[in-house]
Amino acid sequence: MSAISIGQAVVLGAVEGVTEFLPVSSTGHLKIVEGLMGIPVDDDAVVGFSAVIQVGAIAAVLVYFFKDIVRIVTAWLRGLTDREQRYHHDYRFAWWVIFATLPIVAVGLAAKPLIEGPLASLWVVAGSLIAGSGVMYAADRLGRHKRGEDDTSLTDAMLVGGSQILALLFPGFSRSGATMSTALLRDLDRLAATRLSFFLGIPALTGAGIYELKDALGTGAGAAPLAAGTAVSFVVAYASIAWLLRYIAKHTFNAFVLYRIAVGVLLFGLLGTGVLHG
């Protein structure tokens, strides 16, 4: 018997697709929806399922940014044998993404029991949603928005990539929210910050999904629900990416900040009244 039905998988896939790249915490929203549907958020199969359906969202990034990814990977491959190509920004950027992924991989493996145990609490999600809102608001106000994508450096990539650890340890903080906020504090403009967040998320989230796949299947998540959730996640995430890039080019992050605070307060209320159990 699967821990998650196909119908539930479709709902969770849609939630994952909408929220993975918006700075509102996909993990937080998945845990909230799982709680409302009576799914145990700390169950091994459920934790694995959540990680695997992220692959659908990552696939949407791969498709949406296919030309950019091909350009970057091609530059990297050429640079491995051609010294002159190593001065190309795309070659260096490819290495930066690799280096910037190492911290979250190390922490993810070392702190796995903690991440899937005490830190999976809905109380943590609620607090992280609100705390992350403050960070995002401050970053959007303090950042000077003067640097574009071509101005990114290794320091930018390492700091932004390292900030993903916040979302890993504190579900609700939001991986995209943490990375975008860090990029803004490095004075990148909103569009550059958003695109950098996308690119840095590809290896981290893909690796997490692949790593969890065996455990997810072995603990009762079910192949059919995994397939359904991942497919829905892909379709919805593609539309979400397209919308976000258009939106952020002309707007601040204020709407996301207010939304996160509202969800965090609501979640505290649901937990405090016993409607949800954290």
Side-chain angles (χ1 to χ4, degrees):
M1 179 71 71
S2 172
I4 298 175
S5 70
I6 292 179
Q8 291 172 327
V10 169
V11 172
L12 293 174
V15 172
E16 164 64 24
V18 170
T19 61
E20 180 59 57
F21 300 110
L22 300 185
V24 296
S25 175
S26 61
T27 302
H29 279 74
L30 284 173
K31 289 184 179 299
I32 292 171
V33 174
E34 288 164 359
L36 291 173
M37 290 194 296
I39 300 172
V41 299
D42 57 350
D43 183 276
D44 288 342
V46 176
V47 172
F49 175 87
S50 299
V52 172
I53 63 173
Q54 288 178 334
V55 176
I58 291 300
V61 174
L62 294 175
V63 172
Y64 193 91
F65 292 107
F66 181 74
K67 291 183 179 179
D68 295 292
I69 294 170
V70 168
R71 188 189 72 245
I72 293 169
V73 172
T74 299
W76 182 70
L77 292 173
R78 288 175 178 172
L80 294 177
T81 57
D82 186 344
R83 184 179 297 272
E84 291 189 4
Q85 288 292 326
R86 296 173 190 173
Y87 295 99
H88 196 286
H89 182 270
D90 286 338
Y91 170 80
R92 290 178 291 168
F93 184 76
W95 277 116
W96 297 345
V97 170
I98 294 172
F99 294 150
T101 302
L102 297 179
I104 192 173
V105 171
V107 174
L109 293 175
K112 191 172 187 289
L114 187 63
I115 294 167
E116 296 181 354
L119 293 179
S121 167
L122 288 176
W123 290 99
V124 175
V125 171
S128 298
L129 276 165
I130 295 174
S133 299
V135 174
M136 185 181 300
Y137 180 82
D140 206 14
R141 290 295 175 275
L142 296 174
R144 290 179 286 179
H145 312 288
K146 67 177 184 178
R147 300 170 57 214
E149 189 173 349
D150 291 338
D151 299 319
T152 55
S153 65
L154 173 59
T155 301
D156 295 326
M158 292 302 296
L159 290 173
V160 173
S163 70
Q164 296 178 110
I165 294 172
L166 286 171
L168 186 65
L169 296 177
F170 304 105
F173 202 96
S174 170
R175 187 204 65 82
S176 55
T179 52
M180 290 177 191
S181 295
T182 304
L184 290 173
L185 288 172
R186 293 288 299 169
D187 294 329
L188 291 176
D189 63 45
R190 295 186 183 95
L191 186 58
T194 303
R195 284 175 59 88
L196 181 58
S197 174
F198 285 143
F199 288 124
L200 288 174
I202 292 173
L205 295 177
T206 301
I210 294 174
Y211 180 80
E212 294 283 358
L213 180 58
K214 181 180 178 180
D215 290 340
L217 291 173
T219 52
L226 280 172
T230 303
V232 172
S233 173
F234 169 81
V235 174
V236 177
Y238 189 92
S240 179
I241 293 167
W243 176 83
L244 178 61
L245 289 172
R246 288 195 302 270
Y247 178 86
I248 213 62
K250 299 179 180 179
H251 300 83
T252 68
F253 285 102
N254 286 350
F256 298 116
V257 169
L258 294 173
Y259 173 79
R260 288 170 58 104
I261 292 173
V263 173
V265 171
L266 175 62
L267 182 54
F268 270 130
L270 293 174
L271 290 168
T273 56
V275 175
L276 289 179
H277 300 283

